Amino acid sequence: MFVQVLEARYLGEYRVWLRFEDGLEGELDLGPELYGMIFEPLKDPAYFASFTVETTLTWSNGADFAPEFLHELLSAAQPDRKEPSVHSVQVPMFVHVIAAQHRGGHRVWLRFNDGLEGEIDLSTALRGPVFQPLKDPEYFAKFTVDDTLTWPNGADYAPEFLHDRVLEVQQIRAPRDP
């Protein structure tokens, strides 16, 4: 269910044009999504324009948007799109974390507003400068729940990304038909 941004162009202010690997493309205004400490520098349009594409939009301060989140926003902005993507995330538009428990190391149990719950290991998702402090399990355990998991240094994960990871784990563990 992972989908990548293949191409992105800056269009001014906080608008970008995106093209995904499944063919979805179009324009998004990300201004309304710039909340939280990690996104504060992006409120400067010149800094916002400095993004690079590494499977998603990323900035030098470690800020990024989960590609699934961007895909979902763009899909919602194009309700007439005929063919659904096999890669698109089928989650409620405003999914968020409502409860979480640290389970040791980089494992966390999560419950979402749509009723989904489960345990995931985020050790492989600790990439980029903002996530470096989280490699220390003691620091990792200092997360709080504010619609998603957030840490004192401003690191967070898009709730859609976490939701997708829980779904993936459940699909792997589900018994297969003979």
Side-chain angles (χ1 to χ4, degrees):
M1 287 206 261
F2 182 75
V3 62
Q4 295 184 33
V5 175
L6 294 180
E7 186 180 355
R9 288 193 303 263
Y10 178 67
L11 300 176
E13 289 293 310
Y14 309 114
R15 293 179 301 110
V16 294
W17 174 87
L18 301 169
R19 182 171 60 87
F20 290 87
E21 65 183 339
D22 67 350
L24 178 65
E25 63 182 68
E27 182 180 326
L28 280 178
D29 179 0
L30 294 174
E33 307 304 326
L34 301 180
Y35 53 88
M37 287 176 32
I38 192 72
F39 292 109
E40 195 62 35
L42 279 64
K43 291 181 180 178
D44 172 4
Y47 187 75
F48 182 90
S50 72
F51 64 81
T52 59
V53 177
E54 300 172 25
T55 72
T56 192
L57 302 181
T58 62
W59 286 265
S60 61
N61 71 335
D64 66 10
F65 290 101
E68 299 87 354
F69 173 70
L70 295 173
H71 193 278
E72 184 69 24
L73 284 178
L74 191 54
S75 293
Q78 298 181 357
D80 295 336
R81 186 168 188 242
K82 297 291 186 229
E83 71 278 357
S85 165
V86 296
H87 296 287
S88 65
V89 179
Q90 302 298 320
V91 296
M93 186 59 166
F94 299 107
V95 66
H96 57 268
V97 176
I98 60 172
Q101 294 176 351
H102 184 241
R103 296 282 174 96
H106 297 101
R107 293 184 329 276
V108 62
W109 171 88
L110 301 164
R111 178 180 295 140
F112 296 87
N113 62 318
D114 67 351
L116 179 69
E117 60 182 72
E119 184 176 315
I120 56 174
D121 184 341
L122 291 171
S123 59
T124 60
L126 301 176
R127 296 184 303 269
V130 76
F131 292 104
Q132 288 303 313
L134 279 65
K135 290 185 176 184
D136 173 2
E138 286 184 33
Y139 190 84
F140 181 87
K142 293 181 179 183
F143 63 80
T144 59
V145 175
D146 183 15
D147 290 331
T148 190
L149 299 182
T150 61
W151 283 267
N153 70 335
D156 67 6
Y157 288 102
E160 298 82 2
F161 169 77
L162 298 171
H163 192 276
D164 201 34
R165 294 288 293 257
V166 171
L167 282 175
E168 288 172 6
V169 168
Q170 288 183 354
Q171 290 172 350
I172 291 169
R173 292 182 181 162
R176 307 246 189 250
D177 291 332

